[in-house]
Amino acid sequence: MFGKIQISNKIFWLGVNDRRKVLFENIWPLPEGVCYNSYLIVDEKTALIDTVDFCAGQSFLDTVEKYLDGKTLDYLIINHMELDHTGEVAGLLKKYPDVKIVGNINTRRIFESYFGAVSNFLDVGKGETIELGYHKLSFIMTPWIHWPETMMTYDFTEKILFAGDAFGTFGTLNGGIFDDEIDFNVYEGEALRYYSNIVGKYSGMVQKAFAKLVGVEIKCICSTHGPIWRSNPAKIINLYDKWSKYDADEGVVIIFASMYGNTEHIADYIARKITEAGVKNIKIHDVSKTHISYLIRDIWKYRGVILGSCSYNAEMFPPMEHLCREILHISIQNKKLGIFGTFSWNGGGVKNLLKFADDIKWEQVSEAVELRGIPAEEDYSKYDAMAIAMAQKVKQYKYNNIFV
Ligand code: FEO
């Protein structure tokens, strides 16, 4: 249990670490856990910005009461209705029945479907502000980051952006709460896994949110997941800008589907040739072993993607099919693609990977290579050509930070 964590004189962090949950949203593995951040402003009027997951139980309500120090809770601001942030709402409503719920028309619709009709609802969807005393709050509608009702709360007084899921990461806060208290290199992989799998489908909406934030002075970012960015908010803003523009690093992820090792052998060969062509960042994944969230993360991270599949019942290998479907579903853009595969008595893997390539519209760097059985000596030149073409494509890249 942390002691009292103050973001400023009147603003408190009420976060909770969750190391017990195995799967976020019952789908995404949490090897490093996750935290849920809630924020309390104790001014002449009081406001709680988001709550936390059910896992906190009564201790969260007790902490709210303690920090309120005899005051009542005037406002419950709902930046995001997903239940990892509204798990304590029912308890709060019992304890503070007169609290005013703050959100927008979509918030209200979802809120009432979970907690019943509310009469004390303040719709701030059209530019309304709230005066708490010293603090004055406004609200920025940021739909689909990552549900339709999502919004951000901005404190004019101290230039703090309470951002909801945006700028968040998987991973618990292990002592360090603020960006200057942690080594973010430890979190960056989980931050991208969070972005690519949870928020990434809505990257266009992230860019629309950035457009709304132009000219807004931001001294501190308080996300609902991960550290509070009080020293260098530009760091996470630039990362989110880069990720949501589908800008990627020089590197290649090779994902293979292999029943008996032939396709894996080719993956290793291609990786070696890409290395010889001067690319240092290469990841190879077995689609049958690595959770799809890591595959999606690495596809997001690197500019080049090479997919190799054996055939299976005249189709591509089922886990590869699952991966391709997910890539199409979240509509990852701007990749360079290579395709290869193997078969023993009929094809199917490459044929269906080519259908995927047509649908996703990534640039294919060379012709797909499919062969029966184990590659013969003369087959390897085709993989050499793919590796060299891929290396050339992924080296043509430079991202410029929007904030410095
Ligand atoms: Fe952290 Fe979309 O919930």
Side-chain angles (χ1 to χ4, degrees):
M1 185 64 194
F2 295 99
K4 193 180 261 190
I5 304 292
Q6 288 187 258
I7 297 164
S8 69
N9 196 27
K10 297 173 192 285
I11 303 182
F12 303 91
W13 170 79
L14 283 77
V16 174
N17 279 325
D18 188 348
R19 297 187 178 89
R20 291 196 172 188
K21 189 173 284 173
V22 176
L23 296 173
F24 186 75
E25 296 179 335
N26 210 19
I27 181 169
W28 313 111
L30 289 172
E32 307 296 332
V34 66
C35 75
Y36 318 103
N37 297 326
S38 166
Y39 302 94
L40 181 64
I41 305 177
V42 183
D43 205 325
E44 289 167 30
K45 296 276 187 184
T46 63
L48 185 69
I49 303 172
D50 294 313
T51 75
V52 295
D53 186 87
F54 303 109
C55 71
Q58 183 63 32
S59 69
F60 177 79
L61 300 175
D62 291 346
T63 307
V64 172
E65 183 179 10
K66 188 168 123 192
Y67 288 9
L68 283 172
D69 197 21
K71 291 183 170 229
T72 190
L73 184 63
D74 295 302
Y75 297 101
L76 171 58
I77 297 168
I78 307 278
N79 278 339
H80 183 22
M81 270 304 302
E82 191 163 3
L83 287 160
D84 53 334
H85 310 296
T86 51
E88 295 289 336
V89 165
L92 276 171
L93 293 178
K94 267 193 202 145
K95 203 165 171 128
Y96 306 101
D98 297 324
V99 67
K100 193 167 278 188
I101 310 300
V102 180
N104 55 68
I105 191 167
N106 287 321
T107 319
R108 183 169 196 161
R109 194 172 297 133
I110 303 171
F111 189 98
E112 292 190 334
S113 75
Y114 286 154
F115 304 112
V118 281
S119 53
N120 214 0
F121 189 91
L122 180 61
D123 181 354
V124 292
K126 294 195 170 62
E128 293 79 355
T129 57
I130 295 178
E131 308 261 0
L132 298 177
Y134 179 61
H135 291 272
K136 181 180 173 187
L137 305 178
S138 68
F139 305 92
I140 302 158
M141 299 303 115
T142 52
W144 294 108
I145 314 174
H146 99 278
W147 278 13
E149 87 299 352
T150 325
M151 63 184 202
M152 298 183 187
T153 300
Y154 178 67
D155 173 25
F156 278 110
T157 311
E158 301 198 72
K159 317 296 182 203
I160 299 174
L161 184 68
F162 299 93
D165 276 351
F167 311 114
T169 174
F170 288 139
T172 51
L173 295 172
N174 303 317
I177 311 289
F178 298 93
D179 60 331
D180 48 84
E181 297 177 330
I182 62 166
D183 177 359
F184 187 67
N185 293 324
V186 173
Y187 285 86
E188 191 166 334
E190 283 296 83
L192 179 53
R193 194 166 66 90
Y194 172 86
Y195 179 82
S196 55
N197 289 280
I198 308 295
V199 182
K201 177 174 170 59
Y202 309 107
S203 289
M205 302 309 285
V206 174
Q207 282 295 312
K208 284 188 178 168
F210 275 127
K212 290 184 181 179
L213 291 171
V214 168
V216 177
E217 187 183 359
I218 299 171
K219 289 190 174 163
C220 179
I221 291 178
C222 295
S223 173
T224 45
H225 301 287
I228 296 166
W229 294 86
R230 69 178 174 189
S231 292
N232 188 13
K235 166 91 178 170
I236 194 69
I237 289 173
N238 282 321
L239 281 174
Y240 263 64
D241 179 58
K242 174 181 174 177
W243 294 337
S244 58
K245 285 176 174 162
Y246 304 96
D247 274 324
D249 295 344
E250 179 181 311
V252 181
V253 57
I254 302 173
I255 302 169
F256 68 83
S258 188
M259 292 167 65
Y260 295 103
N262 290 335
T263 315
E264 179 177 8
H265 164 79
I266 298 166
D268 276 323
Y269 180 83
I270 293 171
R272 180 62 203 159
K273 291 296 156 187
I274 295 173
T275 302
E276 288 173 4
V279 176
K280 290 187 175 168
N281 293 319
I282 301 171
K283 280 269 187 94
I284 301 181
H285 289 297
D286 181 342
V287 74
S288 299
K289 284 176 65 177
T290 305
H291 190 272
I292 193 168
S293 61
Y294 294 89
L295 306 178
I296 294 292
R297 177 191 67 185
D298 287 345
I299 289 170
W300 215 285
K301 181 171 177 58
Y302 295 117
R303 199 154 197 227
V305 180
I306 296 181
L307 302 176
S309 182
C310 58
S311 66
Y312 196 85
N313 291 335
E315 302 280 348
M316 65 173 108
F317 202 54
M320 182 63 80
E321 196 169 17
H322 177 210
L323 173 64
C324 290
R325 195 169 59 241
E326 184 65 11
I327 292 170
L328 284 167
H329 176 66
I330 60 178
S331 191
I332 305 175
Q333 296 175 28
N334 198 26
K335 299 291 166 188
K336 309 300 173 190
L337 177 64
I339 289 174
F340 69 97
T342 57
F343 65 99
S344 296
W345 65 91
N346 62 5
V350 165
K351 183 178 80 181
N352 285 289
L353 280 173
L354 286 169
K355 278 189 200 157
F356 160 75
D358 275 350
D359 291 338
I360 196 70
K361 297 185 172 48
W362 294 345
E363 180 187 348
Q364 270 186 260
V365 298
S366 63
E367 281 201 16
V369 183
E370 185 173 40
L371 61 83
R372 188 190 297 268
I374 297 168
E377 200 62 39
E378 62 272 20
D379 293 321
Y380 284 95
S381 62
K382 296 172 191 161
Y383 304 123
D384 294 350
M386 183 186 297
I388 290 164
M390 179 61 82
Q392 283 172 347
K393 290 286 182 185
V394 300
K395 284 197 226 168
Q396 300 162 1
Y397 164 73
K398 182 159 182 2
Y399 169 74
N400 292 313
N401 285 342
I402 57 168
F403 291 91
V404 290

